[in-house]
Short mmCIF file of all heavy atoms in Angstrom, two decimals:
data_model
loop_
_atom_site.label_atom_id
_atom_site.label_comp_id
_atom_site.label_asym_id
_atom_site.label_seq_id
_atom_site.Cartn_x
_atom_site.Cartn_y
_atom_site.Cartn_z
N MET A 1 -20.40 3.06 3.21
CA MET A 1 -20.24 2.59 1.87
C MET A 1 -18.93 1.82 1.80
O MET A 1 -17.91 2.25 2.34
CB MET A 1 -20.21 3.78 0.90
CG MET A 1 -19.79 3.42 -0.48
SD MET A 1 -19.79 4.73 -1.76
CE MET A 1 -19.66 6.24 -0.89
N GLN A 2 -18.95 0.69 1.14
CA GLN A 2 -17.76 -0.12 0.93
C GLN A 2 -17.32 -0.01 -0.52
O GLN A 2 -18.16 -0.03 -1.43
CB GLN A 2 -18.03 -1.58 1.26
CG GLN A 2 -18.34 -1.80 2.72
CD GLN A 2 -18.59 -3.25 3.03
OE1 GLN A 2 -19.14 -3.99 2.24
NE2 GLN A 2 -18.18 -3.66 4.22
N VAL A 3 -16.00 0.13 -0.72
CA VAL A 3 -15.46 0.34 -2.06
C VAL A 3 -14.27 -0.58 -2.26
O VAL A 3 -13.43 -0.74 -1.37
CB VAL A 3 -15.01 1.81 -2.23
CG1 VAL A 3 -14.35 2.02 -3.58
CG2 VAL A 3 -16.19 2.76 -2.06
N ILE A 4 -14.19 -1.19 -3.43
CA ILE A 4 -13.01 -1.94 -3.86
C ILE A 4 -12.32 -1.08 -4.91
O ILE A 4 -12.93 -0.69 -5.90
CB ILE A 4 -13.38 -3.31 -4.48
CG1 ILE A 4 -14.05 -4.18 -3.44
CG2 ILE A 4 -12.13 -3.99 -5.03
CD1 ILE A 4 -14.56 -5.50 -3.98
N LEU A 5 -11.06 -0.74 -4.66
CA LEU A 5 -10.29 0.05 -5.62
C LEU A 5 -9.34 -0.85 -6.39
O LEU A 5 -8.74 -1.76 -5.82
CB LEU A 5 -9.48 1.12 -4.89
CG LEU A 5 -10.26 2.20 -4.18
CD1 LEU A 5 -9.29 3.15 -3.48
CD2 LEU A 5 -11.12 2.97 -5.15
N ASP A 6 -9.20 -0.56 -7.65
CA ASP A 6 -8.22 -1.25 -8.46
C ASP A 6 -6.83 -0.96 -7.89
O ASP A 6 -6.56 0.15 -7.42
CB ASP A 6 -8.31 -0.74 -9.91
CG ASP A 6 -7.35 -1.45 -10.81
OD1 ASP A 6 -7.68 -2.57 -11.25
OD2 ASP A 6 -6.27 -0.90 -11.06
N SER A 7 -5.96 -1.94 -7.94
CA SER A 7 -4.60 -1.77 -7.41
C SER A 7 -3.88 -0.60 -8.06
O SER A 7 -3.10 0.10 -7.41
CB SER A 7 -3.79 -3.05 -7.62
OG SER A 7 -4.43 -4.13 -6.98
N ASN A 8 -4.13 -0.37 -9.33
CA ASN A 8 -3.48 0.75 -10.02
C ASN A 8 -3.88 2.09 -9.42
O ASN A 8 -3.08 3.02 -9.38
CB ASN A 8 -3.83 0.73 -11.52
CG ASN A 8 -3.16 -0.41 -12.22
OD1 ASN A 8 -2.03 -0.77 -11.91
ND2 ASN A 8 -3.87 -1.01 -13.16
N ILE A 9 -5.10 2.20 -8.94
CA ILE A 9 -5.54 3.44 -8.28
C ILE A 9 -4.74 3.65 -7.01
O ILE A 9 -4.29 4.76 -6.71
CB ILE A 9 -7.05 3.40 -7.97
CG1 ILE A 9 -7.87 3.31 -9.26
CG2 ILE A 9 -7.47 4.59 -7.12
CD1 ILE A 9 -7.77 4.54 -10.14
N LEU A 10 -4.54 2.59 -6.25
CA LEU A 10 -3.79 2.71 -5.01
C LEU A 10 -2.34 3.12 -5.27
O LEU A 10 -1.81 4.01 -4.61
CB LEU A 10 -3.84 1.39 -4.24
CG LEU A 10 -5.24 0.96 -3.79
CD1 LEU A 10 -5.19 -0.44 -3.20
CD2 LEU A 10 -5.81 1.94 -2.79
N PHE A 11 -1.71 2.50 -6.25
CA PHE A 11 -0.33 2.86 -6.57
C PHE A 11 -0.25 4.28 -7.13
O PHE A 11 0.67 5.04 -6.79
CB PHE A 11 0.29 1.86 -7.56
CG PHE A 11 0.71 0.58 -6.90
CD1 PHE A 11 0.11 -0.61 -7.23
CD2 PHE A 11 1.72 0.57 -5.96
CE1 PHE A 11 0.49 -1.80 -6.63
CE2 PHE A 11 2.12 -0.61 -5.34
CZ PHE A 11 1.50 -1.81 -5.68
N SER A 12 -1.19 4.64 -7.97
CA SER A 12 -1.20 6.00 -8.53
C SER A 12 -1.33 7.04 -7.44
O SER A 12 -0.71 8.11 -7.51
CB SER A 12 -2.34 6.16 -9.54
OG SER A 12 -2.12 5.34 -10.66
N ALA A 13 -2.11 6.75 -6.43
CA ALA A 13 -2.27 7.69 -5.31
C ALA A 13 -0.96 7.91 -4.58
O ALA A 13 -0.66 9.03 -4.15
CB ALA A 13 -3.33 7.16 -4.35
N LEU A 14 -0.16 6.87 -4.46
CA LEU A 14 1.12 7.00 -3.77
C LEU A 14 2.17 7.69 -4.64
O LEU A 14 3.05 8.37 -4.13
CB LEU A 14 1.62 5.62 -3.35
CG LEU A 14 0.74 4.89 -2.34
CD1 LEU A 14 1.25 3.46 -2.14
CD2 LEU A 14 0.72 5.63 -1.02
N ILE A 15 2.05 7.52 -5.94
CA ILE A 15 3.03 8.10 -6.86
C ILE A 15 2.79 9.58 -7.07
O ILE A 15 3.73 10.38 -7.14
CB ILE A 15 2.98 7.36 -8.21
CG1 ILE A 15 3.50 5.94 -8.02
CG2 ILE A 15 3.77 8.09 -9.28
CD1 ILE A 15 3.26 5.04 -9.22
N SER A 16 1.55 9.97 -7.19
CA SER A 16 1.22 11.36 -7.55
C SER A 16 0.28 11.96 -6.51
O SER A 16 -0.93 11.71 -6.53
CB SER A 16 0.57 11.39 -8.93
OG SER A 16 0.30 12.70 -9.31
N PRO A 17 0.81 12.77 -5.59
CA PRO A 17 0.01 13.27 -4.48
C PRO A 17 -1.09 14.28 -4.84
O PRO A 17 -1.90 14.61 -4.00
CB PRO A 17 1.04 13.91 -3.56
CG PRO A 17 2.18 14.25 -4.44
CD PRO A 17 2.20 13.22 -5.54
N TYR A 18 -1.13 14.76 -6.07
CA TYR A 18 -2.16 15.74 -6.45
C TYR A 18 -3.10 15.21 -7.54
O TYR A 18 -3.80 15.97 -8.18
CB TYR A 18 -1.49 17.04 -6.92
CG TYR A 18 -0.61 17.62 -5.86
CD1 TYR A 18 0.77 17.53 -5.95
CD2 TYR A 18 -1.16 18.22 -4.72
CE1 TYR A 18 1.59 18.04 -4.95
CE2 TYR A 18 -0.34 18.72 -3.71
CZ TYR A 18 1.03 18.62 -3.84
OH TYR A 18 1.83 19.12 -2.85
N SER A 19 -3.12 13.91 -7.69
CA SER A 19 -3.92 13.28 -8.74
C SER A 19 -5.31 12.91 -8.23
O SER A 19 -5.54 12.84 -7.01
CB SER A 19 -3.21 12.02 -9.22
OG SER A 19 -3.15 11.08 -8.15
N PRO A 20 -6.25 12.66 -9.13
CA PRO A 20 -7.56 12.16 -8.70
C PRO A 20 -7.47 10.88 -7.86
O PRO A 20 -8.19 10.76 -6.86
CB PRO A 20 -8.31 11.94 -10.01
CG PRO A 20 -7.71 12.96 -10.93
CD PRO A 20 -6.24 12.99 -10.56
N PRO A 21 -6.59 9.91 -8.20
CA PRO A 21 -6.48 8.75 -7.31
C PRO A 21 -6.07 9.10 -5.90
O PRO A 21 -6.53 8.49 -4.94
CB PRO A 21 -5.41 7.88 -7.99
CG PRO A 21 -5.53 8.21 -9.43
CD PRO A 21 -5.82 9.70 -9.44
N CYS A 22 -5.25 10.13 -5.74
CA CYS A 22 -4.85 10.54 -4.40
C CYS A 22 -6.04 11.13 -3.64
O CYS A 22 -6.16 10.93 -2.44
CB CYS A 22 -3.69 11.53 -4.46
SG CYS A 22 -2.99 11.83 -2.83
N ARG A 23 -6.91 11.83 -4.33
CA ARG A 23 -8.11 12.36 -3.66
C ARG A 23 -9.00 11.22 -3.17
O ARG A 23 -9.61 11.29 -2.11
CB ARG A 23 -8.86 13.29 -4.59
CG ARG A 23 -8.14 14.64 -4.72
CD ARG A 23 -8.96 15.59 -5.50
NE ARG A 23 -8.90 15.13 -6.90
CZ ARG A 23 -8.68 15.90 -7.93
NH1 ARG A 23 -8.57 17.19 -7.79
NH2 ARG A 23 -8.59 15.40 -9.13
N ILE A 24 -9.07 10.15 -3.96
CA ILE A 24 -9.83 8.96 -3.54
C ILE A 24 -9.18 8.35 -2.30
O ILE A 24 -9.85 8.02 -1.32
CB ILE A 24 -9.91 7.94 -4.69
CG1 ILE A 24 -10.71 8.51 -5.85
CG2 ILE A 24 -10.50 6.62 -4.20
CD1 ILE A 24 -10.63 7.69 -7.12
N TYR A 25 -7.86 8.23 -2.33
CA TYR A 25 -7.11 7.69 -1.20
C TYR A 25 -7.34 8.54 0.05
O TYR A 25 -7.57 8.01 1.15
CB TYR A 25 -5.63 7.63 -1.58
CG TYR A 25 -4.71 7.17 -0.49
CD1 TYR A 25 -4.64 5.83 -0.14
CD2 TYR A 25 -3.88 8.07 0.18
CE1 TYR A 25 -3.78 5.40 0.86
CE2 TYR A 25 -3.03 7.66 1.17
CZ TYR A 25 -2.98 6.32 1.52
OH TYR A 25 -2.13 5.91 2.50
N GLN A 26 -7.29 9.86 -0.09
CA GLN A 26 -7.52 10.76 1.04
C GLN A 26 -8.94 10.60 1.60
O GLN A 26 -9.14 10.63 2.81
CB GLN A 26 -7.27 12.22 0.63
CG GLN A 26 -5.81 12.54 0.37
CD GLN A 26 -4.95 12.35 1.59
OE1 GLN A 26 -5.37 12.58 2.71
NE2 GLN A 26 -3.73 11.92 1.39
N ALA A 27 -9.91 10.43 0.71
CA ALA A 27 -11.30 10.24 1.15
C ALA A 27 -11.41 8.97 2.01
O ALA A 27 -12.09 8.96 3.03
CB ALA A 27 -12.24 10.16 -0.05
N TRP A 28 -10.70 7.93 1.61
CA TRP A 28 -10.70 6.70 2.40
C TRP A 28 -10.07 6.96 3.77
O TRP A 28 -10.61 6.57 4.80
CB TRP A 28 -9.95 5.58 1.66
CG TRP A 28 -9.61 4.43 2.55
CD1 TRP A 28 -10.48 3.58 3.16
CD2 TRP A 28 -8.31 4.02 2.96
NE1 TRP A 28 -9.80 2.66 3.92
CE2 TRP A 28 -8.46 2.90 3.81
CE3 TRP A 28 -7.03 4.48 2.68
CZ2 TRP A 28 -7.38 2.24 4.38
CZ3 TRP A 28 -5.95 3.80 3.25
CH2 TRP A 28 -6.14 2.71 4.09
N LYS A 29 -8.92 7.65 3.79
CA LYS A 29 -8.25 7.94 5.06
C LYS A 29 -9.12 8.80 5.98
O LYS A 29 -9.03 8.69 7.20
CB LYS A 29 -6.91 8.63 4.80
CG LYS A 29 -5.86 7.67 4.26
CD LYS A 29 -4.54 8.36 3.97
CE LYS A 29 -3.99 9.05 5.18
NZ LYS A 29 -2.67 9.66 4.93
N GLU A 30 -9.98 9.63 5.40
CA GLU A 30 -10.88 10.49 6.17
C GLU A 30 -12.16 9.76 6.60
O GLU A 30 -13.02 10.35 7.25
CB GLU A 30 -11.22 11.73 5.37
CG GLU A 30 -10.02 12.64 5.16
CD GLU A 30 -10.26 13.73 4.13
OE1 GLU A 30 -11.40 13.87 3.64
OE2 GLU A 30 -9.28 14.43 3.81
N GLY A 31 -12.30 8.50 6.19
CA GLY A 31 -13.45 7.71 6.61
C GLY A 31 -14.70 7.89 5.77
O GLY A 31 -15.79 7.51 6.20
N VAL A 32 -14.55 8.45 4.57
CA VAL A 32 -15.70 8.65 3.69
C VAL A 32 -16.27 7.30 3.24
O VAL A 32 -17.48 7.16 3.05
CB VAL A 32 -15.31 9.52 2.48
CG1 VAL A 32 -16.44 9.62 1.48
CG2 VAL A 32 -14.88 10.91 2.95
N PHE A 33 -15.40 6.32 3.09
CA PHE A 33 -15.84 4.98 2.72
C PHE A 33 -14.90 3.95 3.34
O PHE A 33 -13.81 4.28 3.80
CB PHE A 33 -15.90 4.80 1.19
CG PHE A 33 -14.58 4.99 0.48
CD1 PHE A 33 -13.70 3.93 0.33
CD2 PHE A 33 -14.22 6.22 -0.03
CE1 PHE A 33 -12.49 4.10 -0.32
CE2 PHE A 33 -13.01 6.40 -0.68
CZ PHE A 33 -12.14 5.34 -0.82
N GLU A 34 -15.36 2.72 3.37
CA GLU A 34 -14.56 1.61 3.88
C GLU A 34 -13.92 0.91 2.69
O GLU A 34 -14.60 0.54 1.73
CB GLU A 34 -15.46 0.63 4.64
CG GLU A 34 -14.73 -0.57 5.18
CD GLU A 34 -15.65 -1.55 5.88
OE1 GLU A 34 -16.87 -1.29 5.95
OE2 GLU A 34 -15.15 -2.57 6.35
N LEU A 35 -12.61 0.74 2.75
CA LEU A 35 -11.88 0.07 1.68
C LEU A 35 -11.99 -1.43 1.89
O LEU A 35 -11.73 -1.95 2.97
CB LEU A 35 -10.42 0.50 1.68
CG LEU A 35 -9.56 -0.02 0.55
CD1 LEU A 35 -10.08 0.46 -0.80
CD2 LEU A 35 -8.11 0.45 0.74
N VAL A 36 -12.40 -2.13 0.84
CA VAL A 36 -12.56 -3.58 0.87
C VAL A 36 -11.58 -4.17 -0.13
O VAL A 36 -11.38 -3.61 -1.22
CB VAL A 36 -14.00 -3.99 0.51
CG1 VAL A 36 -14.17 -5.49 0.52
CG2 VAL A 36 -15.00 -3.33 1.45
N THR A 37 -10.96 -5.27 0.23
CA THR A 37 -10.02 -5.92 -0.68
C THR A 37 -10.24 -7.43 -0.62
O THR A 37 -11.12 -7.91 0.08
CB THR A 37 -8.58 -5.52 -0.33
OG1 THR A 37 -7.70 -6.00 -1.35
CG2 THR A 37 -8.15 -6.07 1.01
N TYR A 38 -9.44 -8.15 -1.34
CA TYR A 38 -9.55 -9.60 -1.37
C TYR A 38 -8.14 -10.16 -1.51
O TYR A 38 -7.19 -9.45 -1.85
CB TYR A 38 -10.48 -10.06 -2.49
CG TYR A 38 -10.20 -9.44 -3.83
CD1 TYR A 38 -9.41 -10.09 -4.77
CD2 TYR A 38 -10.71 -8.18 -4.16
CE1 TYR A 38 -9.13 -9.51 -5.99
CE2 TYR A 38 -10.43 -7.60 -5.38
CZ TYR A 38 -9.65 -8.27 -6.29
OH TYR A 38 -9.36 -7.69 -7.51
N ASP A 39 -7.97 -11.44 -1.22
CA ASP A 39 -6.65 -12.06 -1.16
C ASP A 39 -5.85 -11.89 -2.44
O ASP A 39 -4.66 -11.58 -2.40
CB ASP A 39 -6.76 -13.55 -0.82
CG ASP A 39 -7.20 -13.78 0.61
OD1 ASP A 39 -6.97 -12.89 1.47
OD2 ASP A 39 -7.76 -14.84 0.89
N GLU A 40 -6.49 -12.08 -3.59
CA GLU A 40 -5.78 -11.96 -4.86
C GLU A 40 -5.24 -10.55 -5.07
O GLU A 40 -4.14 -10.36 -5.59
CB GLU A 40 -6.68 -12.36 -6.04
CG GLU A 40 -7.02 -13.83 -6.09
CD GLU A 40 -8.18 -14.23 -5.18
OE1 GLU A 40 -8.79 -13.35 -4.54
OE2 GLU A 40 -8.47 -15.43 -5.11
N GLN A 41 -6.01 -9.56 -4.65
CA GLN A 41 -5.55 -8.18 -4.80
C GLN A 41 -4.37 -7.90 -3.87
O GLN A 41 -3.41 -7.26 -4.27
CB GLN A 41 -6.68 -7.19 -4.53
CG GLN A 41 -6.23 -5.75 -4.77
CD GLN A 41 -7.32 -4.75 -4.51
OE1 GLN A 41 -8.11 -4.91 -3.59
NE2 GLN A 41 -7.36 -3.70 -5.31
N LEU A 42 -4.45 -8.40 -2.66
CA LEU A 42 -3.33 -8.21 -1.73
C LEU A 42 -2.06 -8.86 -2.27
O LEU A 42 -0.97 -8.30 -2.16
CB LEU A 42 -3.69 -8.75 -0.35
CG LEU A 42 -4.77 -7.99 0.39
CD1 LEU A 42 -5.14 -8.72 1.67
CD2 LEU A 42 -4.34 -6.57 0.67
N ASP A 43 -2.21 -10.04 -2.87
CA ASP A 43 -1.06 -10.70 -3.50
C ASP A 43 -0.50 -9.85 -4.63
O ASP A 43 0.72 -9.71 -4.77
CB ASP A 43 -1.45 -12.08 -4.05
CG ASP A 43 -1.75 -13.08 -2.95
OD1 ASP A 43 -1.32 -12.87 -1.79
OD2 ASP A 43 -2.41 -14.10 -3.26
N GLU A 44 -1.37 -9.28 -5.43
CA GLU A 44 -0.94 -8.41 -6.54
C GLU A 44 -0.19 -7.18 -6.00
O GLU A 44 0.85 -6.79 -6.54
CB GLU A 44 -2.15 -7.97 -7.36
CG GLU A 44 -1.79 -7.02 -8.48
CD GLU A 44 -3.00 -6.49 -9.22
OE1 GLU A 44 -4.15 -6.68 -8.75
OE2 GLU A 44 -2.80 -5.87 -10.27
N ILE A 45 -0.70 -6.57 -4.96
CA ILE A 45 -0.07 -5.40 -4.37
C ILE A 45 1.30 -5.76 -3.80
O ILE A 45 2.27 -5.03 -4.01
CB ILE A 45 -0.98 -4.76 -3.31
CG1 ILE A 45 -2.21 -4.14 -3.99
CG2 ILE A 45 -0.23 -3.72 -2.48
CD1 ILE A 45 -3.30 -3.71 -3.04
N ARG A 46 1.38 -6.88 -3.11
CA ARG A 46 2.68 -7.31 -2.57
C ARG A 46 3.69 -7.54 -3.69
O ARG A 46 4.84 -7.12 -3.60
CB ARG A 46 2.51 -8.60 -1.77
CG ARG A 46 1.92 -8.41 -0.42
CD ARG A 46 1.92 -9.73 0.37
NE ARG A 46 0.97 -9.65 1.44
CZ ARG A 46 -0.25 -10.17 1.43
NH1 ARG A 46 -0.68 -10.86 0.40
NH2 ARG A 46 -1.05 -10.03 2.46
N ARG A 47 3.25 -8.21 -4.74
CA ARG A 47 4.13 -8.51 -5.88
C ARG A 47 4.57 -7.22 -6.58
O ARG A 47 5.76 -7.00 -6.81
CB ARG A 47 3.41 -9.45 -6.84
CG ARG A 47 4.24 -10.00 -7.94
CD ARG A 47 3.50 -11.06 -8.77
NE ARG A 47 2.18 -10.64 -9.24
CZ ARG A 47 1.01 -11.05 -8.72
NH1 ARG A 47 0.99 -11.90 -7.72
NH2 ARG A 47 -0.13 -10.60 -9.19
N ALA A 48 3.63 -6.36 -6.87
CA ALA A 48 3.94 -5.13 -7.60
C ALA A 48 4.78 -4.17 -6.76
O ALA A 48 5.61 -3.44 -7.31
CB ALA A 48 2.65 -4.45 -8.05
N SER A 49 4.60 -4.19 -5.47
CA SER A 49 5.36 -3.27 -4.61
C SER A 49 6.85 -3.59 -4.61
O SER A 49 7.66 -2.76 -4.22
CB SER A 49 4.81 -3.27 -3.19
OG SER A 49 5.05 -4.52 -2.57
N ARG A 50 7.21 -4.75 -5.09
CA ARG A 50 8.62 -5.13 -5.17
C ARG A 50 9.27 -4.72 -6.50
O ARG A 50 10.47 -4.87 -6.66
CB ARG A 50 8.76 -6.63 -4.97
CG ARG A 50 8.37 -7.07 -3.58
CD ARG A 50 8.61 -8.56 -3.38
NE ARG A 50 8.14 -8.98 -2.08
CZ ARG A 50 7.05 -9.71 -1.88
NH1 ARG A 50 6.33 -10.12 -2.91
NH2 ARG A 50 6.69 -10.05 -0.67
N TYR A 51 8.49 -4.22 -7.42
CA TYR A 51 9.04 -3.80 -8.71
C TYR A 51 10.02 -2.66 -8.49
O TYR A 51 9.77 -1.78 -7.65
CB TYR A 51 7.95 -3.33 -9.67
CG TYR A 51 6.98 -4.40 -10.13
CD1 TYR A 51 5.80 -4.04 -10.77
CD2 TYR A 51 7.22 -5.76 -9.95
CE1 TYR A 51 4.90 -5.00 -11.21
CE2 TYR A 51 6.33 -6.72 -10.38
CZ TYR A 51 5.18 -6.33 -11.01
OH TYR A 51 4.29 -7.28 -11.45
N PRO A 52 11.10 -2.63 -9.26
CA PRO A 52 12.11 -1.57 -9.08
C PRO A 52 11.53 -0.16 -9.16
O PRO A 52 11.96 0.72 -8.42
CB PRO A 52 13.08 -1.84 -10.22
CG PRO A 52 12.96 -3.29 -10.50
CD PRO A 52 11.51 -3.62 -10.23
N LYS A 53 10.55 0.07 -10.02
CA LYS A 53 10.01 1.43 -10.17
C LYS A 53 9.30 1.92 -8.91
O LYS A 53 9.12 3.11 -8.73
CB LYS A 53 9.09 1.53 -11.39
CG LYS A 53 7.82 0.71 -11.28
CD LYS A 53 7.00 0.86 -12.55
CE LYS A 53 5.78 -0.01 -12.53
NZ LYS A 53 5.03 0.09 -13.78
N PHE A 54 8.91 1.02 -8.02
CA PHE A 54 8.23 1.42 -6.80
C PHE A 54 9.14 1.46 -5.58
O PHE A 54 8.75 1.96 -4.54
CB PHE A 54 7.06 0.49 -6.51
CG PHE A 54 5.94 0.58 -7.49
CD1 PHE A 54 5.45 -0.54 -8.12
CD2 PHE A 54 5.36 1.80 -7.79
CE1 PHE A 54 4.41 -0.46 -9.03
CE2 PHE A 54 4.33 1.90 -8.70
CZ PHE A 54 3.85 0.76 -9.32
N LYS A 55 10.33 0.95 -5.70
CA LYS A 55 11.23 0.86 -4.54
C LYS A 55 11.46 2.22 -3.88
O LYS A 55 11.40 2.33 -2.65
CB LYS A 55 12.56 0.26 -4.95
CG LYS A 55 12.45 -1.20 -5.28
CD LYS A 55 13.36 -1.99 -4.44
CE LYS A 55 13.26 -3.43 -4.90
NZ LYS A 55 13.30 -4.33 -3.84
N ASN A 56 11.72 3.26 -4.66
CA ASN A 56 11.97 4.59 -4.09
C ASN A 56 10.71 5.26 -3.57
O ASN A 56 10.79 6.11 -2.69
CB ASN A 56 12.64 5.50 -5.12
CG ASN A 56 14.02 5.00 -5.48
OD1 ASN A 56 14.69 4.37 -4.68
ND2 ASN A 56 14.44 5.28 -6.69
N ILE A 57 9.57 4.89 -4.12
CA ILE A 57 8.32 5.55 -3.75
C ILE A 57 7.72 4.93 -2.48
O ILE A 57 7.21 5.64 -1.63
CB ILE A 57 7.31 5.44 -4.92
CG1 ILE A 57 7.86 6.20 -6.12
CG2 ILE A 57 5.95 5.95 -4.52
CD1 ILE A 57 7.13 5.90 -7.40
N LEU A 58 7.79 3.63 -2.40
CA LEU A 58 7.16 2.94 -1.27
C LEU A 58 8.15 2.76 -0.15
O LEU A 58 7.85 2.50 0.94
CB LEU A 58 6.60 1.59 -1.72
CG LEU A 58 5.61 1.64 -2.87
CD1 LEU A 58 5.21 0.24 -3.29
CD2 LEU A 58 4.38 2.41 -2.48
#
């Protein structure tokens, strides 16, 4: 199964290790599904990862 996750889900998984988004992230790491993305989303993730609120987390 291939899944596209919203960027907010990915960031939420990194911020809160016991949240539902983190369970989704763990399922991906365990191979339950294949994560699919696209160039615009990768650009968004790169841009957002530079925000001050994410500096300590990432």
Side-chain angles (χ1 to χ4, degrees):
M1 169 177 23
Q2 295 181 325
V3 175
I4 297 175
L5 295 178
D6 182 81
S7 302
N8 290 323
I9 297 294
L10 297 173
F11 282 115
S12 294
L14 296 173
I15 292 169
S16 182
Y18 302 105
S19 64
C22 190
R23 285 187 287 227
I24 295 169
Y25 177 75
Q26 290 298 326
W28 165 65
K29 286 179 57 177
E30 293 168 6
V32 174
F33 61 87
E34 179 182 0
L35 185 61
V36 179
T37 189
Y38 49 96
D39 290 335
E40 291 83 3
Q41 183 180 37
L42 292 174
D43 290 341
E44 177 185 12
I45 291 169
R46 283 186 199 101
R47 189 173 50 256
S49 68
R50 294 184 184 107
Y51 294 166
K53 65 182 176 182
F54 293 127
K55 290 237 184 218
N56 295 330
I57 296 167
L58 304 176

